[in-house]
Amino acid sequence: MRRKGYKLRVEHPSRDKYDVNHIVVSADPAKIYFNTEFDAPITTSITGGRLRPDFRFEVRSNHRCIVLDAKYKRQIDTGDHERLLAYVLEYAEPVNGELYGAFVTLEDTEVKKTHASRDIGGVRVSIHVHLLDPRQNEKEINNTIEKILEKII
């Protein structure tokens, strides 16, 4: 993907270059972490555990971070929402007064709405649903990724 000046570069942070349990993609000025485990300030303090969001997009220069959870199944359930909200609480940084999290789904995943939000103490918490289906063509996939990156760049 090179539109809008994004240049993707895959980094392999693991010791074994063939370990695909997690990857990091640089899309200057953003980094996209896939399936990477992070300390979680609240969860780690209470349980000692760490969380592993499917995707974490961050721009360190402006301290912006959003999280995405891939749900490639027929329906998104309450447990999926609870997990995504935990990721948002632990990792997202407000962007223009908004904490942002999103599901990425297949075309045939059933959802009632593609966006919901709530204001909490002057901060809007927003959850979106984006179609990101491997059966889509490259242009559709790139458009979705660009739409997500625009939230933090």
Side-chain angles (χ1 to χ4, degrees):
M1 179 173 66
R2 290 194 129 244
R3 293 174 32 197
K4 296 194 180 184
Y6 304 130
K7 182 180 177 187
L8 298 182
R9 185 179 75 250
V10 176
E11 302 172 13
H12 296 278
S14 64
R15 285 174 278 163
D16 179 357
K17 67 179 182 177
Y18 300 105
D19 177 9
V20 292
N21 288 332
H22 66 279
I23 60 171
V24 178
V25 177
S26 290
D28 290 332
K31 277 198 174 181
I32 304 167
Y33 296 88
F34 168 71
N35 199 33
T36 303
E37 192 173 74
F38 294 95
D39 282 332
I42 297 170
T43 303
T44 303
S45 295
I46 293 173
T47 68
R50 300 174 81 188
L51 298 177
R52 186 188 300 259
D54 290 329
F55 297 95
R56 176 175 161 164
F57 288 38
E58 68 178 45
V59 178
R60 290 181 187 239
S61 63
N62 61 14
H63 304 288
R64 294 180 172 181
C65 179
I66 59 175
V67 290
L68 287 84
D69 198 25
K71 289 299 162 205
Y72 291 144
K73 58 186 187 176
R74 290 300 249 160
Q75 289 186 310
I76 298 171
D77 60 37
T78 303
D80 298 326
H81 281 277
E82 291 168 351
R83 190 172 309 103
L84 180 58
L85 288 169
Y87 295 154
V88 168
L89 177 65
E90 292 284 14
Y91 301 122
E93 296 291 336
V95 177
N96 300 323
E98 175 185 45
L99 288 175
Y100 179 89
F103 291 108
V104 290
T105 67
L106 295 172
E107 185 174 14
D108 47 0
T109 301
E110 296 174 17
V111 294
K112 291 183 181 180
K113 292 176 70 177
T114 59
H115 174 255
S117 63
R118 176 175 179 222
D119 288 329
I120 302 172
V123 175
R124 177 167 290 258
V125 178
S126 295
I127 301 297
H128 293 251
V129 179
H130 296 285
L131 174 64
L132 195 58
D133 193 319
R135 298 170 289 191
Q136 291 176 286
N137 66 47
E138 184 178 348
K139 182 179 177 183
E140 291 171 316
I141 291 171
N142 285 342
N143 286 341
T144 299
I145 293 171
E146 285 180 2
K147 185 177 180 181
I148 294 166
L149 286 175
E150 286 172 357
K151 290 298 272 182
I152 60 171
I153 293 178

